[in-house]
Amino acid sequence: MQTAECQDGPVCGAETEIAYACLPEAGASCIAYAAKEAECYGQPVAEYAAGNCQVYVNSQVYYAGPACGEALEEYFACLADLPCPEFEMGSGCDAQEAELAAACGGGP
């Protein structure tokens, strides 16, 4: 449920900007992944996309351990190296996906 204050666009925008400032600094794999999204989808990716990716990596490290985080970073790095058709399909990184499943107890 939204508060009355959040129905005011500028107030929500300011709150959102503050929240984005709290995102962790993104690592190389998340930066590359966000750049690949921009390349393949032909539109700029929001500046906080890499930070959101890093939040996901960090949460997986917290819940599943460092090996999971490393596997996830390798998976994102692999995806970022794919040609756009494969990137968009999420295919072409089978070895990294298998390692991710083994390290994290599931898939991405």
Side-chain angles (χ1 to χ4, degrees):
M1 176 188 246
Q2 286 184 325
T3 65
E5 296 155 356
C6 201
Q7 291 175 2
D8 180 9
V11 171
C12 282
E15 290 173 358
T16 302
E17 288 301 314
I18 291 168
Y20 292 153
C22 295
L23 292 173
E25 185 173 338
S29 63
C30 283
I31 291 169
Y33 183 80
K36 186 58 130 182
E37 283 184 316
E39 174 191 338
C40 293
Y41 295 114
Q43 58 189 13
V45 173
E47 63 185 47
Y48 54 84
N52 280 333
C53 170
Q54 193 64 50
V55 166
Y56 181 66
V57 171
N58 293 356
S59 69
Q60 294 305 305
V61 169
Y62 179 80
Y63 290 110
C68 177
E70 290 173 20
L72 192 54
E73 287 184 5
E74 289 177 19
Y75 178 69
F76 282 138
C78 178
L79 289 174
D81 284 341
L82 294 174
C84 286
E86 285 85 0
F87 176 83
E88 292 168 1
M89 294 292 294
S91 63
C93 295
D94 296 339
Q96 291 81 2
E97 197 168 337
E99 179 62 32
L100 183 60
C104 302

